[in-house]
Amino acid sequence: MVKQTIQIFARVKPTVRKQQQGIYSIDEDEKLTPSLEIILPRDLADGFVNNKRESYKFKFQKIFDQGANQETIFESIAKPVAESVLAGYNGTIFAYGQTGSGKTFTITGGAERYSDRGIIPRTLSYIFEQLQKDSSTIHTTHISYLEIYNECGYDLLDPRHEASSLEDLPKVTILEDPDQNIHLKNLSLHQAATEEEALNLLFLGDTNRMIAETPMNQASTRSHCIFTIHLSSKEPGSATVRHAKLHLVDLAGSERVAKTGVGGQLLTEAKYINLSLHYLEQVIIALSEKHRAHIPYRNSMMTSVLRDSLGGNCMTTMIATLSLEKRNIDESISTCRFAQRVALIKNEAVLNEEIDPRLMIIRLQKEIQELKDELAVVTGEQRTEVLTDAELLQLEKLITSFLEDQDPESRLDVGTDMRKIHHCFHHLKKLLNDKKIHGKSTVSSEIKDQDCQEPLKEEEYQKLRDILQQRDNEINILVNMLKKEKKKAQDALHLSSMGSSEWRHSQSSPLPPGNSEGVRTLPSSATTQVQDVSTVGHRSSLLHRKTGMREEMSLGRQEAFEIFKRDHADSITIEDNKQILKQRFSEAKALGESINETRSKIGRLKEEITQRHMQQVALGLSENTALPSMSDSLEEKLRSQLEEEKRRYKIMFMRLKALKVEIEHLQLLMDKAKVKLQKEFEAWWTEEATNLQVNSPATNSLNHMRPFPQTPESQQERSQLVANRSDVNTRKILPSPHPIPQSWGHNSTSASLESSISERPASSIPLTGDSQTDSDILAFIKARQSILQKKCFQ
Ligand code: ADP
Ligand code: MG
């Protein structure tokens, strides 16, 4: 049993503006426990509800300042928890903080760069790597992904449902057994044999989460998400199974109701969410106070699900995410206060071992049989029934193979049944007597043969040598035939892979099954390849499902989508990722080629070594000497070359594997971005359609037609623009460094405008500051919109 308090860490999100940086400081040296000091600016201190203190200090296990990257967070926070999960203990990591402070970024990761991947993908990668290294144990991994919104649980991984809103997902409910263990009814568990399969599940869950979210229910900030990795392990032959669970929890935003200040449905949501976090707080308070008999776990779904993680059988870690800007100071202080309470809670983690009943039955049955046999021998109690014909035949077969076995150590094992033992003695006696009578002469001649081994005569020697030569020839012919067959198979494989556009096909297995000895010991990719194809199919079908509506689009709508896509802030990320992907593809392709070359080299070297060996043997035979001396320098050189090539092969193979994971991840990011884009387009489109129905298209179109990029940065840019300019009609136009070509808008016909749209660089429409040009731009936009509208309503 391991007793441990919940570990608390703080992570400060990078701030955009410099002047915000004076409001906190980190003291790393304070007797090894670092502390975070939040300094309240004077103007805020006056109005601050609780008191007028000007600074607050909070201790944390470790504090990660703005510069900390995802790798550091994983190494310091998640890796130790993953290690204890691999050792058989339960683990939980949860992120707590206000909306926008970086909980999702920390737990799942950013949606743009591979290096931004968060704790979940990194932990999966680490766990699968470790499991692969440990071949002495049999492991199984399952994944579940639960979202709790408004006190209802939803299964994010249900394959049967196509979610367009949360309510479409299967509802998960809590069941409690007589031992007060919690069971989640309807939460599906999915086996993941590889990192890739687990990543696909994460992607599926995240996509469902995103799709189910509507602007009215910003579920991502108001719901809790629990991604769970379930690990079971067993030593071969042992009946003991170890189970461990790792919960990775992205909690809802911790902001208070009072500040939310919204009405109607949003208020209900805010109340709920805060209720749920409020219950979490109550549980934490109850746990941190000594001698509290009742802990109110049952008050909310989330505390019920995380019951073991809080004050139970689990190693738990909390990450307090902080966005330390002036306007967030009170929320940051309340996040830190919550963390300090959490740090008082003690958990007791135990190894979760249980006996597999099926294996136990088999083991006990065997033991009973052995004991019965032993008892029969000890008590001398004979079985009365005679042996059947089949049993007798079986025994005789055993005796024959025992007698024929040349191994002096071989045993005649018939168990402890005395009837069988007696029968064996009888049978052996019979055999011996038969031999004495009939085979006297033969036995003596055999002995004579063995005793006097004369040197071989010249002709016999010649005969043997001829036979050897014949056999060698036969072997060579067979080897050649085999090589030809292999080459044919490889060529076919190569051809089919060349024809496919997917890299995963073209990389092809560098190790055809049944390859020669040295290569066979390297990790085989044949199975992963099959896997790849299936997961790709799975992912693309998912994407197809999620974006399926596009196929039914009218031409105009498609065009609008193209423009929306081009102008969307995410398009740069998608483009960047595409470029990186391209690079990785070509890197992987080059690597695949080098691997193939090295493999052929290995093959050639092996062949040379075999030939050399055969030559040496033949030489030895022809000179009638013993085996050639061991130190054949040429052969040794060849062998060391072979080892070197094998090493190179292994290194390249590992690199290719890593590349594959990266490519897979990038593809998932891109798929996710595409789904997001499509969803935003649909929302924009619906809004546009409604607006156009309400207002006359000619007068009102300008305010709605420009698709809006959704990033905070662009929003900021936009508000700055609004502040700078009084012209209301320019609100939705982004500044850009590119000047606009004069031809745009000047006396242009619709047709030439249309072509200029398609020729225009993929950036936003710029403002020049010159009022004449600006009004040209506006004219251009109007024209562009009427083209779009025409197409939309065709
Ligand atoms: P939350 O889940 O707490 O509401 P998010 O994780 O969605 O917050 O973060 C809000 C935004 O800030 C996202 O755009 C995210 O990419 C960005 N962000 C958060 N933390 C970091 C960080 N440490 N480094 C860079 N960007 C971050
Ligand atoms: Mg979030």
Side-chain angles (χ1 to χ4, degrees):
M1 187 198 294
V2 182
K3 282 193 180 185
Q4 201 186 44
T5 51
I6 297 186
Q7 311 277 299
I8 56 164
F9 296 91
R11 182 181 200 185
V12 183
K13 182 189 152 178
T15 43
V16 188
R17 273 155 276 169
K18 277 264 181 302
Q19 76 263 26
Q20 306 277 8
Q21 285 174 3
I23 61 174
Y24 75 95
S25 69
I26 295 170
D27 189 353
E28 292 279 5
D29 300 328
E30 248 182 48
K31 286 182 212 142
L32 295 175
T33 323
S35 67
L36 174 75
E37 185 173 13
I38 300 183
I39 301 136
L40 213 56
R42 280 200 180 278
D43 50 332
L44 268 188
D46 284 342
F48 200 62
V49 197
N50 296 332
N51 51 45
K52 289 184 183 174
R53 267 169 57 190
E54 282 189 9
S55 94
Y56 293 79
K57 261 194 171 181
F58 303 100
K59 285 191 182 302
F60 287 93
Q61 230 88 42
K62 211 164 181 187
I63 300 161
F64 298 92
D65 206 355
Q66 303 187 23
N69 61 18
Q70 300 283 66
E71 173 73 15
T72 316
I73 297 288
F74 168 75
E75 289 288 330
S76 327
I77 301 178
K79 200 167 162 186
V81 182
E83 267 160 12
S84 63
V85 170
L86 285 166
Y89 296 96
N90 289 339
T92 297
I93 301 175
F94 67 92
Y96 182 97
Q98 70 183 111
T99 299
S101 57
K103 295 181 297 297
T104 308
F105 186 84
T106 304
I107 297 289
T108 311
E112 294 180 1
R113 282 176 295 271
Y114 181 64
S115 58
D116 278 350
R117 66 204 192 285
I119 285 178
I120 300 180
R122 286 173 195 267
T123 305
L124 287 172
S125 187
Y126 179 73
I127 286 180
F128 279 103
E129 194 185 306
Q130 297 304 310
L131 294 185
Q132 223 175 26
K133 277 187 198 161
D134 177 15
S135 52
S136 64
T137 318
I138 304 160
H139 306 277
T140 38
T141 313
H142 287 85
I143 303 287
S144 66
Y145 204 175
L146 169 73
E147 174 160 15
I148 302 175
Y149 178 70
N150 274 1
E151 275 306 294
C152 273
Y154 300 95
D155 183 5
L156 286 174
L157 296 183
D158 186 85
R160 290 164 303 173
H161 291 77
E162 198 167 314
S164 58
S165 75
L166 261 186
E167 286 69 30
D168 294 342
L169 293 169
K171 276 207 170 64
V172 178
T173 47
I174 289 185
L175 295 177
E176 201 174 316
D177 67 16
D179 297 330
Q180 299 200 325
N181 294 318
I182 297 289
H183 301 276
L184 292 167
K185 195 178 153 203
N186 262 352
L187 181 68
S188 55
L189 273 185
H190 299 259
Q191 185 161 3
T194 59
E195 177 187 347
E196 233 168 296
E197 281 180 29
L199 277 179
N200 273 314
L201 289 167
L202 171 67
F203 164 76
L204 173 69
D206 277 345
T207 311
N208 273 336
R209 193 180 172 188
M210 191 164 71
I211 296 280
E213 187 178 282
T214 63
M216 279 303 283
N217 95 46
Q218 281 289 314
S220 67
T221 67
R222 297 190 175 90
S223 67
H224 315 282
C225 279
I226 307 178
F227 183 89
T228 310
I229 307 168
H230 309 250
L231 272 185
S232 319
S233 54
K234 192 171 80 75
E235 309 277 329
S238 155
T240 317
V241 190
R242 264 188 199 173
H243 298 286
K245 273 186 284 189
L246 174 57
H247 293 306
L248 300 167
V249 188
D250 186 357
L251 287 177
S254 62
E255 51 275 2
R256 310 278 126 174
V257 179
K259 265 200 94 182
T260 316
V262 280
Q265 179 176 2
L266 286 180
L267 182 64
T268 330
E269 285 166 0
K271 194 179 79 197
Y272 260 117
I273 187 55
N274 279 281
L275 249 189
S276 155
L277 280 182
H278 169 73
Y279 286 130
L280 174 67
E281 243 176 281
Q282 281 195 341
V283 166
I284 303 258
I285 292 170
L287 284 166
S288 57
E289 284 172 4
K290 273 182 195 162
H291 315 301
R292 273 279 289 263
H294 176 67
I295 310 290
Y297 289 113
R298 284 195 196 151
N299 281 351
S300 83
M301 182 162 193
M302 205 240 313
T303 45
S304 303
V305 176
L306 292 184
R307 188 176 176 151
D308 259 349
S309 314
L310 307 162
N313 167 23
C314 192
M315 305 233 197
T316 302
T317 296
M318 168 187 170
I319 308 171
T321 53
L322 301 163
S323 169
L324 280 166
E325 293 186 24
K326 205 167 154 187
R327 63 194 156 94
N328 294 330
I329 278 212
D330 48 352
E331 289 298 349
S332 305
I333 290 174
S334 101
T335 300
C336 290
R337 280 204 179 122
F338 181 78
Q340 306 299 297
R341 274 235 168 80
V342 168
L344 299 175
I345 300 173
K346 260 209 177 100
N347 279 354
E348 289 179 2
V350 290
L351 279 181
N352 307 298
E353 289 183 333
E354 67 178 40
I355 306 291
D356 183 338
R358 282 171 309 139
L359 286 174
M360 203 60 199
I361 290 169
I362 294 172
R363 192 193 265 185
L364 287 174
Q365 277 173 341
K366 202 171 158 218
E367 202 174 315
I368 289 171
Q369 189 54 46
E370 276 169 14
L371 287 171
K372 268 188 185 165
D373 287 347
E374 232 172 82
L375 193 71
V377 174
V378 173
T379 56
E381 201 178 292
Q382 293 301 313
R383 286 186 182 90
T384 46
E385 64 277 30
V386 284
L387 291 169
T388 62
D389 284 347
E391 279 173 322
L392 291 174
L393 201 69
Q394 175 74 14
L395 276 177
E396 273 149 38
K397 267 188 196 161
L398 272 176
I399 293 168
T400 318
S401 63
F402 169 67
L403 290 175
E404 280 170 359
D405 193 341
Q406 297 300 312
D407 181 1
E409 302 278 311
S410 71
R411 285 174 52 182
L412 177 56
D413 199 350
V414 290
T416 47
D417 187 339
M418 290 313 280
R419 295 168 307 165
K420 289 184 181 172
I421 295 172
H422 287 151
H423 179 80
C424 282
F425 279 126
H426 281 304
H427 192 73
L428 279 168
K429 189 175 172 186
K430 191 167 162 273
L431 281 179
L432 206 67
N433 285 340
D434 284 356
K435 210 158 197 178
K436 261 190 199 152
I437 299 161
H438 302 295
K440 252 185 185 160
S441 55
T442 348
V443 171
S444 60
S445 76
E446 265 174 28
I447 292 168
K448 206 174 148 198
D449 263 357
Q450 276 170 17
D451 281 349
C452 35
Q453 276 190 353
E454 282 171 13
L456 288 172
K457 285 185 191 132
E458 183 52 36
E459 51 197 83
E460 278 174 331
Y461 181 61
Q462 188 57 42
K463 217 164 116 193
L464 279 174
R465 217 159 61 170
D466 288 343
I467 291 172
L468 191 73
Q469 189 60 46
Q470 266 176 21
R471 294 288 172 271
D472 271 348
N473 288 344
E474 277 171 27
I475 289 169
N476 280 340
I477 294 162
L478 284 172
V479 166
N480 278 338
M481 276 168 67
L482 199 65
K483 268 189 207 151
K484 264 183 208 154
E485 281 310 304
K486 253 190 200 170
K487 193 167 177 315
K488 254 190 229 162
Q490 271 172 4
D491 284 350
L493 211 70
H494 192 62
L495 263 179
S496 71
S497 66
M498 296 281 279
S500 160
S501 59
E502 278 278 0
W503 163 77
R504 63 196 75 240
H505 296 263
S506 74
Q507 81 159 337
S508 154
S509 163
L511 303 174
N515 209 331
S516 47
E517 172 230 327
V519 182
R520 219 185 302 140
T521 57
L522 298 172
S524 160
S525 69
T527 46
T528 13
Q529 200 189 5
V530 174
Q531 181 69 47
D532 278 353
V533 177
S534 72
T535 48
V536 167
H538 169 71
R539 203 186 57 235
S540 63
S541 80
L542 172 83
L543 190 69
H544 181 77
R545 195 154 54 102
K546 301 294 179 200
T547 57
M549 44 250 203
R550 215 189 140 188
E551 265 162 33
E552 298 136 29
M553 273 189 193
S554 66
L555 267 177
R557 197 157 151 174
Q558 269 180 34
E559 173 121 347
F561 179 67
E562 288 310 317
I563 295 172
F564 182 89
K565 195 165 78 179
R566 193 189 57 197
D567 289 351
H568 196 282
D570 284 358
S571 69
I572 302 165
T573 318
I574 295 178
E575 216 31 62
D576 282 355
N577 274 344
K578 227 189 235 169
Q579 290 309 322
I580 301 175
L581 247 182
K582 255 190 201 160
Q583 265 177 22
R584 297 289 180 272
F585 274 148
S586 48
E587 217 177 302
K589 213 174 148 197
L591 207 59
E593 276 162 13
S594 316
I595 285 181
N596 276 339
E597 265 171 32
T598 315
R599 193 168 49 84
S600 345
K601 223 183 224 173
I602 290 176
R604 277 201 302 276
L605 281 167
K606 279 194 165 166
E607 208 174 299
E608 273 182 55
I609 290 173
T610 323
Q611 269 178 10
R612 177 82 193 156
H613 209 71
M614 269 164 61
Q615 272 172 10
Q616 294 291 312
V617 173
L619 201 73
L621 280 177
S622 63
E623 286 171 6
N624 196 14
T625 58
L627 274 175
S629 71
M630 295 301 284
S631 59
D632 173 10
S633 64
L634 183 67
E635 194 180 320
E636 255 166 36
K637 208 171 129 199
L638 286 173
R639 278 193 191 281
S640 77
Q641 267 178 26
L642 182 68
E643 286 312 310
E644 183 53 35
E645 290 302 325
K646 276 188 193 171
R647 249 196 309 279
R648 259 168 52 82
Y649 186 96
K650 244 182 194 167
I651 292 168
M652 287 195 290
F653 196 86
M654 296 319 283
R655 170 78 192 122
L656 189 65
K657 253 175 103 177
L659 260 179
K660 222 175 96 194
V661 173
E662 187 176 343
I663 286 172
E664 188 71 23
H665 194 100
L666 282 170
Q667 279 176 331
L668 289 182
L669 287 183
M670 280 186 40
D671 288 353
K672 222 154 117 182
K674 280 181 201 159
V675 174
K676 183 167 165 249
L677 200 74
Q678 177 81 39
K679 196 171 117 68
E680 284 175 12
F681 171 74
E682 290 302 325
W684 171 81
W685 182 265
T686 319
E687 197 192 313
E688 286 309 311
T690 329
N691 281 331
L692 286 169
Q693 270 165 15
V694 175
N695 304 304
S696 133
T699 54
N700 195 53
S701 54
L702 188 59
N703 287 334
H704 302 283
M705 282 313 283
R706 178 72 176 79
F708 250 175
Q710 303 290 319
T711 62
E713 288 76 12
S714 65
Q715 275 165 10
Q716 206 180 315
E717 281 173 353
R718 217 185 304 147
S719 53
Q720 272 170 6
L721 199 69
V722 174
N724 292 343
R725 297 182 63 90
S726 57
D727 185 354
V728 188
N729 286 335
T730 59
R731 272 182 205 181
K732 302 199 170 182
I733 303 169
L734 298 183
S736 155
H738 306 292
I740 186 164
Q742 281 299 308
S743 65
W744 289 4
H746 274 300
N747 307 320
S748 295
T749 60
S750 298
S752 67
L753 263 176
E754 205 172 352
S755 61
S756 61
I757 292 175
S758 54
E759 281 161 22
R760 211 179 56 118
S763 62
S764 314
I765 303 170
L767 276 184
T768 60
D770 161 16
S771 62
Q772 176 57 43
T773 321
D774 281 359
S775 67
D776 288 345
I777 297 170
L778 293 175
F780 160 72
I781 294 166
K782 271 188 184 165
R784 179 174 133 179
Q785 278 189 277
S786 63
I787 293 168
L788 274 178
Q789 278 159 16
K790 255 188 249 157
K791 285 196 168 168
C792 299
F793 294 100
Q794 263 165 8

